[in-house]
Amino acid sequence: MKKIVVLTGAGISQESGISTFRDSDGLWENYPVSEIANYDSWERNEEQTRGFYNMLLKKLIKAQPNEGHKQLVRLEERYDVTIITQNIDDLHERAGSKKIIHLHGELKKACSVTDNSEVYPIKGDELKKSDVDKNGKPLRPFIVWFGEAVPMIEPAIKECEKADIFIVVGTSLVVYPAAGLLNYAKPGCKKYLVDPKRPNADLSGITFIEEKASTGVKKVVDELLKIN
Ligand code: APR
């Protein structure tokens, strides 16, 4: 069975009503990264950081997977598919994709402040100040913040090295190491990029579909199901 790797970013969830980060009116325009998405900000102002991720979690609970997420599931009829997502939402899971690697953490989970590999599901629709790990230490959002290691990058690289086909959807390709994953594709790997905006990256050898995920992903999937 041929192997497909799909790298997704915030753009694939945009049509589910979830804000991207760097588009106009994106999350980082309204909430400065320096005050939210790093360990220092957690130490400086836990309340604010917890509140930010709880706000995103409440939105996610109301959101639904869109056509972009759903079309990717069809590929599993004829291909071995791994989704590598930078997204912290669970919309690929809810659409029905089976193999998903989350590079930047998951909004519906929390982890111990002393060991971020100790992960717990968040109960209800918010992480509370009183939520603690098995040793009574506070829980923090299970998010890979700027400046932190990305533990899932190694398994992600292994998948990329095996890909016969590589599809990138809805990412500005500016945040590393995720943005470098395409470089691990073997020679001859067929590459697609779906995004309504041309990213500031070298697109040689890549079929660029300048569309939103809902329509662009369908085009790629229809083509790939026709040729295999
Ligand atoms: N369909 C497809 N792509 C879209 C859509 C859509 N409906 N709407 C917007 N996009 C595209 C934008 O054109 C842009 O290229 O999605 C991309 C979103 O880029 P970013 O906001 O930078 O999001 P992303 O690339 O996922 O960010 C990477 O940065 O802040 C961190 O941890 C955060 O995982 C995130 C990482």
Side-chain angles (χ1 to χ4, degrees):
M1 218 181 203
K2 284 199 168 161
K3 169 100 203 160
I4 299 187
V5 166
V6 188
L7 173 65
T8 64
I12 196 164
S13 298
Q14 187 266 339
E15 290 163 273
S16 295
I18 294 184
S19 298
T20 61
F21 293 94
R22 294 174 186 80
D23 291 310
S24 60
D25 209 35
L27 272 180
W28 292 155
E29 197 168 280
N30 298 311
Y31 303 87
V33 187
S34 57
E35 283 170 35
I36 304 282
N38 55 64
Y39 193 76
D40 280 356
S41 53
W42 169 255
E43 289 212 302
R44 265 199 325 268
N45 194 343
E46 259 187 53
E47 202 70 34
Q48 175 177 269
T49 304
R50 198 184 303 104
F52 173 74
Y53 289 104
N54 280 340
M55 177 273 292
L56 295 184
L57 175 58
K58 285 173 204 279
K59 271 195 185 161
L60 171 59
I61 289 168
K62 291 195 191 124
Q64 297 299 329
N66 66 57
E67 209 46 36
H69 303 100
K70 291 180 194 165
Q71 287 296 325
L72 290 175
V73 183
R74 288 174 61 215
L75 288 172
E76 295 183 14
E77 293 164 17
R78 304 222 196 115
Y79 294 90
D80 171 16
V81 182
T82 301
I83 312 269
I84 302 173
T85 188
Q86 297 166 86
N87 298 345
I88 54 178
D89 66 50
D90 64 347
L91 297 178
H92 286 302
E93 283 88 343
R94 284 202 260 151
S97 285
K98 294 206 179 61
K99 282 192 267 175
I100 303 158
I101 296 177
H102 281 273
L103 289 176
H104 295 162
E106 292 173 69
L107 207 40
K108 288 190 171 171
K109 296 179 181 170
C111 60
S112 167
V113 286
T114 55
D115 177 2
N116 59 9
S117 68
E118 206 183 287
V119 179
Y120 299 81
I122 292 178
K123 293 187 201 103
D125 64 355
E126 60 178 25
L127 175 63
K128 298 190 181 66
K129 190 178 163 61
S130 55
D131 289 338
V132 289
D133 70 10
K134 62 179 189 313
N135 300 313
K137 297 281 183 210
L139 293 179
R140 55 165 265 190
F142 180 50
I143 304 294
V144 175
W145 283 322
F146 286 99
E148 293 189 313
V150 182
M152 293 312 287
I153 198 68
E154 288 305 325
I157 289 172
K158 287 204 177 88
E159 294 299 304
C160 295
E161 287 171 341
K162 289 187 278 182
D164 300 297
I165 298 160
F166 202 127
I167 308 170
V168 179
V169 188
T171 170
S172 56
L173 290 170
V174 296
V175 172
Y176 283 81
L181 284 173
L182 251 182
N183 300 331
Y184 290 92
K186 57 194 179 194
C189 173
K190 205 170 164 53
K191 298 172 189 151
Y192 296 88
L193 172 64
V194 178
D195 200 299
K197 204 168 88 195
R198 178 173 281 270
N200 194 10
D202 176 17
L203 296 186
S204 49
I206 301 177
T207 305
F208 177 45
I209 295 161
E210 198 164 357
E211 289 188 31
K212 288 188 167 193
S214 55
T215 55
V217 173
K218 182 172 187 322
K219 281 188 185 162
V220 178
V221 171
D222 284 345
E223 178 175 313
L224 292 174
L225 291 179
K226 219 178 281 166
I227 60 171
N228 189 32

